[in-house]
Amino acid sequence: MRCGKMAAASPPPPTRAVGTWGGVRRRCQRLLYWVPVLFISSILCWSYYAYVTQLCLLTITNIGEKVVCLVAYHIFFMLFVWSYWKTIFTLPMNPSKEFHLSYSDKESLEREPRGESQQEVLRRAAKDLPIYTRTMSGAIRYCDRCHLVKPDRCHHCSVCDKCILKMDHHCPWVNNCVGFSNYKFFLLFLAYSLLYCLFIAATDLQYFIKFWTNGLPDTQAKFHIMFLFFAAAMFSVSLSSLFGYHCWLVSKNKSTLEVFRAPIFRHRTDKNGFSLGFSKNLRQVFGDEKKYWLLPVFSSLGDGCSFPTCLVNQDPEQASTPGCLNSTSKNENHLFPAKPLCDSQSHLLTDTPSWSETSAKAEKGKVGMSNPALTMENET
């Protein structure tokens, strides 16, 4: 009888196998995400062999032309690889701890029914934060997966499953989110890859023509010279359109997501709300020190959590300010002014708050009263 009872009370199927299978599937997905990067890397390695060995060393006979081509090629190659590496392996920045709900607030948000109670929880969590954008219904932008109040221009990436500061898009070709921390690197990657392809196509053109006119000996180099020109020309066309589009985004101080959905501020939707003029928009990405503009080193302004805007009246209860504000005067109106370049760079390496706590306390009451009616709305 005891044995029968023991057999009848057999344990349920172990859940560990299911969890193990889920872990294996996630690891396989992560490996698949690297396929586009490996494809680009393999094309790059082949182009190096085809250009340096087959074209420069075995085909070009003029010593001066050979040296110039090799030196110029390696400069473009180094800048291309450097910027591509930085775009891939620079971790996207996530909102700092000030934007995360406390444990008690998260419990209150989950316990209370949707309505005024949840509005009060979000109002208490967001009243001291430098946020000016809202959802389409006028609610505070809240992420229910990361349990945080979203900073301006921050979005949740479904691939990374994280909230990314100033997210532009998730790029499969770099297997990374393009956002505040690596947008400059991504832009330089596009620029140097375009220059790399244009240089190869320009210097390979005369030998490509000789191939069709039987001006080259029938060797293995003919195959590499032909396909090297085709690949460089093809990538040049696609990269030029993509690079031109992102140059336009920089000139308008927009992200790709903001083009498809204009940011909604407290008083209205404004597709140019973050635009400060061409010069200031350019410095938002590349920084104030021009010596770093062409190098893949971080020099962007700000902390990724708050941004100067060009709005006449950010809050209906605040007094109007004349004209379009520049970054300096707008920082004075902002509750949490943007820090200089040196502080912005250190923010990437530390968890120190990106605004002044004393300013927050001084203006706490005023900002708390300025929030509109809040409703719970999840936005990715």
Side-chain angles (χ1 to χ4, degrees), residues 150-216:
K150 292 183 182 179
D152 293 342
R153 316 184 81 175
C154 173
H155 297 274
H156 187 90
C157 176
S158 58
V159 179
C160 301
D161 198 23
K162 295 178 181 178
C163 282
I164 308 299
L165 293 181
K166 196 186 176 183
M167 178 178 172
D168 187 87
H169 68 289
H170 186 94
C171 181
W173 299 108
V174 300
N175 190 28
N176 200 2
C177 257
V178 178
F180 176 77
S181 61
N182 63 348
Y183 185 72
K184 177 192 173 184
F185 306 148
F186 176 75
L187 199 64
L188 291 179
F189 156 64
L190 294 179
Y192 289 133
S193 59
L194 177 59
L195 289 175
Y196 178 79
C197 292
L198 289 175
F199 174 79
I200 289 178
T203 53
D204 187 42
L205 178 60
Q206 59 174 318
Y207 299 96
F208 176 77
I209 296 175
K210 289 181 179 180
F211 167 79
W212 289 106
T213 58
N214 295 322
L216 289 178

Side-chain angles (χ1 to χ4, degrees), residues 102-171:
S102 64
Y103 181 77
S104 59
D105 286 340
K106 281 190 283 189
E107 281 194 332
S108 300
L109 204 62
E110 295 172 356
R111 183 174 60 251
E112 299 292 342
R114 290 180 178 269
E116 184 60 31
S117 300
Q118 289 186 336
Q119 293 178 22
E120 182 59 33
V121 173
L122 288 181
R123 184 182 296 113
R124 182 171 60 251
K127 65 180 180 178
D128 294 332
L129 298 177
I131 54 174
Y132 295 96
T133 55
R134 299 290 186 263
T135 64
M136 296 182 66
S137 64
I140 289 289
R141 300 190 326 123
Y142 172 75
C143 180
D144 59 345
R145 293 185 64 86
C146 300
H147 302 292
L148 56 83
V149 176
K150 292 183 182 179
D152 293 342
R153 316 184 81 175
C154 173
H155 297 274
H156 187 90
C157 176
S158 58
V159 179
C160 301
D161 198 23
K162 295 178 181 178
C163 282
I164 308 299
L165 293 181
K166 196 186 176 183
M167 178 178 172
D168 187 87
H169 68 289
H170 186 94
C171 181

Side-chain angles (χ1 to χ4, degrees), residues 123 126-127 131 134 140 266 315 367-374:
R123 184 182 296 113
K127 65 180 180 178
I131 54 174
R134 299 290 186 263
I140 289 289
R266 293 175 179 176
D315 195 295
V367 175
M369 297 177 61
S370 65
N371 285 347
L374 305 179

